[in-house]
Amino acid sequence: MAGFSIIFRPFAWIYSSVMSFRNWLFDVGLLREHHFNVPVATIGNLAVGGTGKTPHTEYLYNLLKTRGKVGILSRGYGRDTKGFRWVHPTSNVQECGDEPCQIKRKFPAAVVAVDENRCEGIRLMLKEEKLTAILLDDAYQHRYVKPDLNILLTDYHHLFSEDHVMPEGHLRESKSSRRRADIVIVTKCPADLKPIDFTLLSKRIKPFASQHLFFTTQQYSTPYPLFGEDRPFEGKKILAVTGISNPNTLIDYLKRFGEVTPLRFPDHNTYSDEDIQKINAAFSGHDTIITTEKDATRLVTLRDKLTTEMRQALFIQPVAISFLRNEADKFRRICEERLFPINQ
């Protein structure tokens, strides 16, 4: 596979050169970065695919909401609409995308909107809401907004420092672009990392002296029914239905409950009638269906296409992040200093 990827190296060089030239235009001011009167934090990554952006966005929202009303702006990947749109608890994925819908349903008090034009989206949010901070989900490459805090995520199992630019690898821009980050977080780490592991990871990532390096792990809590029926989770033979980029961590976790059969779909999958038939066929011989919070935003709209038995068996597995080495307070302090400086 590695040898095959070398074939794409010339195309990766061309793509990297284009992205580097674009970044240079921003660095020298030929392309303008817009700064707003409200603190803006960006959460993103260099690689395509999942690094845990949504759980980290949710964590940062919980951290900052004590400061006042916090807005979350996403482009709304996979939606059928264009332009600016507010996300309501009743919004669906076709209107707003799966991750914004997930966040709004999880945090009804959050001010959530989508717009592929982040500058315009921020302007429209501030026109109607008095916000104390705005979080930009998956906007590391959206340089038209000048963030006050730039958070870069990288998956423990797929570090950006050991990857290549597309199409040879999975990076959206070169590794040198990590210099724009104020904070680098290694996500999805095993919870039992040893001190030597942190040292080795730091050497592999090579953060700049001005950057802060953190490590987080995923924490799963008790699954709950998708369709609201109050019943306990007692799965022994579990069908794990996922439409995320890397479900391996979730599947490994579910194995502690019983026998797990993975049924994987593409990331941000729009579940078709054929997909529902696949789930129905795979469910035979299982007592429980587990899906992710993101997939639940799509499956909930297909209630009438699911059998009564499947609806009763369908549970959501919630996920949150936790900082390793007891560094949650340090992370909070740095975020607050960057977003709400004392001399502001």
Side-chain angles (χ1 to χ4, degrees):
M1 188 67 179
F4 182 74
S5 67
I6 294 176
I7 298 174
F8 297 103
R9 185 163 295 174
F11 303 100
W13 184 87
I14 295 171
Y15 174 77
S16 179
S17 298
V18 171
M19 291 300 295
S20 295
F21 179 67
R22 176 180 180 270
N23 283 325
W24 177 81
L25 292 175
F26 279 107
D27 293 339
V28 301
L30 293 176
L31 288 178
R32 182 186 173 193
E33 292 182 292
H34 298 265
H35 193 272
F36 294 88
N37 291 328
V38 62
V40 175
T42 294
I43 303 100
N45 54 12
L46 291 182
V48 297
T51 53
K53 290 185 296 294
T54 301
H56 284 78
T57 300
E58 294 173 350
Y59 184 95
L60 191 55
Y61 168 78
N62 267 326
L63 194 75
L64 301 178
K65 68 181 182 181
T66 57
R67 291 276 186 162
K69 188 179 289 187
V70 178
I72 300 173
L73 180 63
S74 171
R75 64 172 172 156
Y77 181 85
R79 62 185 173 129
D80 297 332
T81 59
K82 296 290 185 182
F84 182 83
R85 185 174 290 263
W86 292 108
V87 183
H88 304 286
T90 56
S91 297
N92 59 50
V93 294
Q94 289 75 27
E95 297 171 332
C96 302
D98 49 17
E99 289 160 346
C101 287
Q102 172 187 327
I103 293 172
K104 184 62 179 180
R105 290 173 186 173
K106 203 168 183 179
F107 305 103
V111 179
V112 185
V114 294
D115 197 333
E116 60 272 18
N117 184 329
R118 305 303 175 94
C119 291
E120 182 66 11
I122 292 175
R123 292 190 188 101
L124 292 173
M125 291 181 80
L126 295 177
K127 186 177 180 180
E128 295 193 32
E129 296 281 355
K130 186 174 179 59
L131 302 174
T132 56
I134 292 179
L135 310 183
L136 297 185
D137 179 31
D138 195 15
Y140 194 80
Q141 285 74 37
H142 195 94
R143 296 202 57 186
Y144 287 100
V145 176
K146 176 67 174 176
D148 300 277
L149 174 67
N150 216 354
I151 299 175
L152 176 63
L153 309 181
T154 185
D155 189 326
Y156 169 85
H157 303 93
H158 305 283
L159 299 177
F160 66 72
S161 56
E162 297 168 4
D163 204 344
H164 302 279
V165 173
M166 298 187 297
E168 182 182 358
H170 301 90
L171 299 184
R172 305 177 189 182
E173 52 184 320
S174 68
K175 304 169 192 177
S176 63
S177 296
R178 74 189 189 281
R179 71 183 186 277
R180 300 199 305 272
D182 302 299
I183 293 173
V184 178
I185 302 178
V186 182
T187 69
K188 303 182 182 180
C189 294
D192 58 351
L193 284 182
K194 298 177 174 58
I196 186 63
D197 297 321
F198 296 113
T199 301
L200 293 175
L201 283 167
S202 181
K203 289 182 178 180
R204 290 163 66 186
I205 294 170
K206 300 177 182 177
F208 291 96
S210 60
Q211 293 176 327
H212 303 277
L213 180 62
F214 292 93
F215 305 85
T216 61
T217 188
Q218 290 185 318
Q219 289 188 327
Y220 296 105
S221 51
T222 304
Y224 60 93
L226 172 58
F227 293 107
E229 294 87 349
D230 186 15
R231 59 187 185 279
F233 168 72
E234 298 177 345
K236 297 299 181 183
K237 293 186 177 181
I238 301 169
L239 177 66
V241 177
T242 59
I244 57 177
S245 59
N246 186 0
N248 293 337
T249 304
L250 170 61
I251 292 169
D252 288 342
Y253 169 77
L254 292 176
K255 288 178 180 178
R256 68 181 61 188
F257 297 109
E259 181 182 338
V260 180
T261 303
L263 183 58
R264 305 183 183 190
F265 294 92
D267 194 15
H268 298 280
N269 184 58
T270 299
Y271 287 93
S272 63
D273 291 344
E274 182 181 352
D275 292 335
I276 296 301
Q277 291 174 7
K278 288 181 181 179
I279 297 172
N280 186 41
F283 180 55
S284 177
H286 297 82
D287 53 47
T288 305
I289 303 174
I290 290 286
T291 195
T292 69
E293 293 173 295
K294 185 165 75 170
D295 289 299
T297 63
R298 297 185 181 277
L299 290 171
V300 73
T301 64
L302 303 174
R303 179 186 183 112
D304 294 339
K305 296 183 179 181
L306 300 172
T307 66
T308 301
E309 186 181 13
M310 290 174 66
R311 290 199 299 269
Q312 293 175 344
L314 191 46
F315 282 75
I316 301 172
Q317 176 60 70
V319 61
I321 63 109
S322 176
F323 280 81
L324 300 179
R325 302 197 294 186
N326 297 314
E327 290 191 322
D329 285 342
K330 179 182 177 181
F331 176 77
R332 175 191 54 77
R333 185 174 64 254
I334 293 170
C335 290
E336 291 181 343
E337 288 173 354
R338 295 288 305 198
L339 295 173
F340 310 107
I342 296 175
N343 61 351
Q344 179 173 279

